[in-house]
Amino acid sequence: MSIVRQLLSRLPKLQLRLRPNNKRYTVTTVTPSLCLLPEPAFESQAPRPPLQLDDLPPELLCLILEYAGPETIVAAGAVSRLLREIVAASSSLQYTVALVLAGLQDGAESAPSGDRLRALNARTASWRSFQYRDRLNVDIGSGAYRPCYDLHSGIFFVGRRTAANLPIRTLSWLPLPSVQNQLLGSWQSLPLDISIDDFALDLRQDLLVLVEMLIPNATMVHIHLRSFESLQPHPKAAEAALTMECAAVTVHSTIVVDLSGKHLGLLFSHDHQARSDHDRICVWDWTTGETVFAAILFRALPVPSPSVLVVAQLG
């Protein structure tokens, strides 16, 4: 109590004079700064160690990797034995990586990921050994020009002539049987407003590329960028048509066009029967019309993927 009294005695005092009795009163004020309280006593505790990757349950790590993406899944398995074991035990994670390696997209099917992974692995093994499960003979009909064809999304496309020795003015296509649909579709045709020597298409982008027919002695190749649905100039193309200069066309000149993503490749062979110094290859970004690559003296498959150009020099 003596300590409390000493503290109170040191507090500031305020004198008030109250009337009419003229009595004097003393008021003691207490400020928060003078309220001294003892500090609570805490028991000493050792600092907690930081959370480690091994402390998380495998189910949570698997879920995190599913949201991370295929590149992260592969990288995580390369730097951590724990993550590598989790990926090896998860059919869902393996399926995600296998899709990217195969260049495919998930079809949003309801089948379990394990069943989809087995089907994908079987498909990959068949392509590596080129062992197809079945053979189908299809009559392509009259007027089909065999060098002018494409296979896209399970649909066979071919250019047709109205009669022998006449230009290609029609594009026909036939949906082929698949695992999901065993029925063979029926032929459909689309008349073209120009004569062509070759074409390429990407239905995901609604893009149809038409290479105008080469005319003897011409020195320019014209490539038209159309919408497959409307045959009008493609709305995402900066230019309705691209052009490439070439040597004077002969009866032995040929053209090959290929398409992957936004890259469009064209190979001009001045004489398909022999190597020529006038052969030329050109790759564009078809959305902007800018030339990405151009060279001569090459025979190549222009664009097998959006980021790879394979060229082979002969002689």
Side-chain angles (χ1 to χ4, degrees), residues 44-260:
S44 60
Q45 298 180 356
R48 292 184 178 182
L51 188 64
Q52 301 294 327
L53 189 66
D54 299 348
D55 298 329
L56 298 178
E59 295 80 6
L60 180 57
L61 292 174
C62 183
L63 184 61
I64 294 174
L65 289 175
E66 287 183 356
Y67 281 96
E71 294 84 0
T72 304
I73 295 175
V74 175
V79 300
S80 170
R81 177 181 298 178
L82 172 62
L83 295 180
R84 183 163 60 251
E85 293 175 352
I86 291 176
V87 173
S90 172
S91 59
S92 177
L93 296 178
Q94 294 182 51
Y95 179 68
T96 301
V97 176
L99 273 178
V100 176
L101 295 178
L104 301 175
Q105 295 180 348
D106 191 13
E109 299 179 0
S110 58
S113 58
D115 295 342
R116 285 181 286 173
L117 177 61
R118 283 188 289 270
L120 180 58
N121 289 338
R123 176 188 181 277
T124 303
S126 298
W127 272 107
R128 287 178 177 175
S129 59
F130 210 69
Q131 295 179 354
Y132 45 86
R133 70 174 67 186
D134 198 2
R135 180 188 296 269
L136 177 66
N137 295 323
V138 178
D139 183 11
I140 60 177
S142 60
Y145 184 57
R146 294 182 180 179
C148 185
Y149 74 93
D150 199 356
L151 181 63
H152 181 74
S153 300
I155 305 176
F156 177 73
F157 295 83
V158 65
R160 293 188 184 276
R161 295 169 169 171
T162 54
N165 300 324
L166 290 182
I168 301 172
R169 296 296 297 263
T170 302
L171 184 64
S172 299
W173 64 91
L174 176 69
L176 301 177
S178 63
V179 176
Q180 290 76 18
N181 184 13
Q182 298 292 339
L183 299 178
L184 179 65
S186 58
W187 281 103
Q188 301 182 56
S189 297
L190 179 69
L192 304 176
D193 57 351
I194 60 173
S195 301
I196 65 171
D197 271 341
D198 199 8
F199 69 93
L201 71 165
D202 187 345
L203 299 180
R204 291 183 295 268
Q205 303 183 84
D206 186 33
L207 176 62
L208 174 63
V209 179
L210 302 175
V211 181
E212 195 169 333
M213 185 181 67
L214 300 177
I215 300 176
N217 299 321
T219 58
M220 193 74 69
V221 179
H222 299 272
I223 306 101
H224 300 264
L225 307 174
R226 303 288 185 88
S227 164
F228 180 79
E229 293 292 336
S230 64
L231 277 186
Q232 297 300 313
H234 199 284
K236 293 184 178 181
E239 303 177 16
L242 303 174
T243 58
M244 184 186 76
E245 293 184 0
C246 63
V249 174
T250 69
V251 293
H252 299 299
S253 299
T254 59
I255 206 85
V256 176
V257 64
D258 201 0
L259 177 67
S260 185

